Amino acid sequence: IVMIKNKVVILTGGSGLIGQALCKSIAKNNGYVIVADIIENNEFKKDIKNDSNMEYYYLNVSSQDSINNIIKYCDKKFGKIDVWINNAYLKTTKNSKNKREYSDDFFNLSYENFCESVQLNQGSIFLCSKFISKYFLKQGYGHIINVSSIYGLIAPRFEIYENTGMTMPLDYAMNKSAIIH
């Protein structure tokens, strides 16, 4: 993080819990961070507006046009992009309000939702990395950082969630493992 001073960083999933912490740390260390997310977190929005080193930008990581638009925006505004952080995790199962939520446990996870999760999460990292890599090649430098999870390294420990009502979604562990590999 010390080497982030005066760097332009695009952080996908910037409104989430991990994303917020990363954004705040980058801004605190004098990097300029684009909080790139499909969700505008109203509480975090205040922090963004009060920090001259952060700004929110709507980004749909599963849309080629959206990815290209943020790259064009940053290139025009800053003349460079130094770092792209793939941190977004797309939720798949739709509830009765048609809102995306985390996937279900192994026995309740449908094949369709599993496939959607793989397509959305691994596909979005593929798309983001592909288009920012083209930009970085033209620019002559740049860094991509992929955020994963401990569950990308070890098998889920379902006993952790016993009697909590929570679960460790299988597709989450598989997607995070794919990021590492």
Side-chain angles (χ1 to χ4, degrees):
I1 289 291
V2 176
M3 303 300 286
I4 208 77
K5 186 175 181 179
N6 299 320
K7 304 291 185 196
V8 176
V9 179
I10 298 174
L11 197 142
T12 72
S15 291
L17 293 176
I18 294 171
Q20 287 180 45
L22 290 171
C23 288
K24 288 175 185 178
S25 181
I26 292 165
K28 180 181 174 187
N29 286 281
N30 295 312
Y32 192 88
V33 64
I34 309 299
V35 181
D37 209 318
I38 201 166
I39 298 169
E40 282 189 79
N41 181 311
N42 289 330
E43 286 300 311
F44 189 44
K45 216 178 194 181
K46 294 174 193 172
D47 291 338
I48 294 169
K49 285 184 180 181
N50 292 329
D51 193 319
S52 61
N53 287 341
M54 284 195 279
E55 73 177 90
Y56 173 83
Y57 190 96
Y58 175 89
L59 173 66
N60 178 347
V61 293
S62 64
S63 164
Q64 295 180 41
D65 289 340
S66 189
I67 296 164
N68 281 321
N69 288 341
I70 195 171
I71 292 169
K72 288 176 190 172
Y73 169 79
C74 289
D75 184 58
K76 185 175 181 181
K77 181 171 182 174
F78 304 104
K80 68 175 186 169
I81 301 168
D82 298 293
V83 181
W84 181 286
I85 302 176
N86 285 313
N87 175 65
Y89 188 82
L90 288 78
K91 301 173 184 179
T92 55
T93 307
K94 294 180 182 176
N95 66 17
S96 60
K97 296 178 184 173
N98 207 28
K99 181 180 176 188
R100 295 194 179 276
E101 295 181 339
Y102 286 113
S103 296
D104 220 333
D105 66 30
F106 177 70
F107 294 106
N108 294 316
L109 179 61
S110 73
Y111 178 73
E112 292 76 19
N113 281 337
F114 172 79
C115 291
E116 180 187 20
S117 178
V118 170
Q119 178 185 1
L120 287 171
N121 289 290
Q122 294 177 38
S124 66
I125 289 177
F126 166 79
L127 283 177
C128 290
S129 297
K130 178 180 178 177
F131 290 108
I132 195 62
S133 291
K134 285 181 181 181
Y135 177 85
F136 286 161
L137 282 171
K138 183 178 165 192
Q139 179 175 260
Y141 70 93
H143 304 278
I144 299 172
I145 299 170
N146 295 318
V147 176
S148 186
S149 166
I150 188 67
Y151 286 121
L153 295 170
I154 63 170
R157 294 182 50 213
F158 293 104
E159 67 273 11
I160 292 173
Y161 305 102
E162 197 171 325
N163 299 320
T164 66
M166 295 172 57
T167 184
M168 175 58 229
L170 175 69
D171 57 315
Y172 178 84
M174 291 180 80
N175 283 320
K176 292 301 184 178
S177 179
I179 291 169
I180 293 168
H181 294 283

